[in-house]
Amino acid sequence: MTTISFELDTKLAALDVLCEQLEHFCAATGIPKKQKFEINLALDELFTNILSHGFRDARPHRIQISVSHAPRVVTIVIRDDGIPFNPLKAPAPELKCPFDDRKVGGLGIHLIRSYIDEMDYERCGRHNVLTLRKFLKN
Amino acid sequence: MDIIETKHDSYSVFKLTGRLDSNTSMGFEQQLFASIDSGARRLIIDFEGLDYISSAGLRVILKATKNLKTAQGKLVLCAMQDYVKEVFEISGFDSFLPIESSLEAAVTRL
């Protein structure tokens, strides 16, 4: 099994660090471009969600991420010390409504659900711990 | 992300290269809306060089589409990589946005 662990600052520029880390990880494990894109997108949406809603103080925070590759499955764990937030309970967006009523809210979570096969949420003490599993099809 | 805007007689093309995420979407929004505010009504966004898009990018495109609809303009997208196009399909954006396979087809569609 190959695992990488890293921390991201709570600022948008950290998205570039996330991208670089995933580039290295996917090169080392042979994960193809499309799956790399999907993993990057899921992590990006979760990270930006935590940034937008997770913190109510101005203190610096760090978001811890680990990504592991075992045969046919990638497991991602994201840990933050923001306010309790379970993305599994977020409402699904309205995708079929008339164009004029379309909103972007909730689309991030919808994309995560589309690209990730399993998600578990736990509140551990002062931390949100979200575990994602993506199965790699042949 | 690099944004190159090319003005033609009756339309403008925005060619995107790189990654359209929360970090870059604000710059793109400013440039796109500067063009709309100065009177551009027929726009093409060329995705050929775009490797990545997140919901932050979709937000800008939805906003521009609504704005142009009110102004009786038109927005056409083109030349997306398959996995970028899939993001538009999963989000249901392909139901209201024309997505063409090439820049030439997008110009015809405008």
Side-chain angles (χ1 to χ4, degrees), chain A residues 12-13 15-16 19 33-34 37-38 40-41 44-45 48 95 99-100 102 104 107 110-111 114-115, chain B residues 19 21-23 51-55 58-59 62 65-66 69 81 83-84 86-87 90-93 96:
Chain A
L12 286 175
L15 284 171
D16 291 340
C19 171
K33 197 174 175 186
K34 182 175 194 300
F37 172 81
E38 294 172 358
N40 194 158
L41 183 58
D44 171 334
E45 299 292 348
T48 45
L95 299 178
F99 165 70
D100 290 334
R102 276 303 302 261
V104 163
L107 261 188
H110 175 65
L111 289 168
S114 304
Y115 287 133
Chain B
R19 300 170 64 85
D21 59 19
S22 314
N23 206 13
D51 297 320
Y52 182 87
I53 188 165
S54 73
S55 65
L58 294 178
R59 191 188 64 77
L62 180 64
T65 308
K66 287 187 169 182
K69 189 184 174 198
Q81 314 222 25
Y83 55 84
V84 171
E86 197 176 85
V87 172
I90 289 173
S91 306
F93 276 37
F96 59 79

Side-chain angles (χ1 to χ4, degrees), chain A residues 57-103:
Chain A
D57 56 49
R59 284 191 302 123
H61 295 265
R62 305 278 281 170
I63 297 173
Q64 298 164 317
I65 296 177
S66 77
V67 188
S68 306
H69 175 258
R72 288 186 292 283
V73 61
V74 173
T75 305
I76 301 157
V77 181
I78 303 164
R79 191 179 147 90
D80 69 81
D81 63 348
I83 58 169
F85 175 68
N86 180 354
L88 303 183
K89 292 193 171 159
E94 185 56 69
L95 299 178
K96 300 260 187 264
C97 64
F99 165 70
D100 290 334
D101 301 331
R102 276 303 302 261
K103 294 185 182 67

Side-chain angles (χ1 to χ4, degrees), chain A residues 35 72 135-138:
Chain A
Q35 280 76 26
R72 288 186 292 283
F135 301 118
L136 302 172
K137 288 123 197 154
N138 292 327

Side-chain angles (χ1 to χ4, degrees), chain B residues 7-95:
Chain B
K7 289 179 182 163
H8 297 264
D9 284 346
S10 61
Y11 63 95
S12 289
V13 178
F14 285 82
K15 186 168 173 48
L16 307 183
T17 305
R19 300 170 64 85
L20 180 50
D21 59 19
S22 314
N23 206 13
T24 55
S25 63
M26 205 175 291
F28 174 50
E29 179 171 350
Q30 282 167 359
Q31 200 164 335
L32 193 60
F33 278 84
S35 184
I36 294 171
D37 291 344
S38 69
R41 290 295 173 263
R42 286 149 50 89
L43 299 179
I44 294 172
I45 304 175
D46 182 349
F47 280 71
E48 191 177 5
L50 197 82
D51 297 320
Y52 182 87
I53 188 165
S54 73
S55 65
L58 294 178
R59 191 188 64 77
V60 176
I61 288 168
L62 180 64
K63 190 175 167 189
T65 308
K66 287 187 169 182
N67 206 297
L68 284 168
K69 189 184 174 198
T70 309
Q72 298 183 333
K74 188 162 184 182
L75 176 65
V76 178
L77 314 181
C78 71
M80 288 179 188
Q81 314 222 25
D82 286 348
Y83 55 84
V84 171
K85 192 173 180 192
E86 197 176 85
V87 172
F88 281 81
E89 290 165 353
I90 289 173
S91 306
F93 276 37
D94 57 327
S95 65

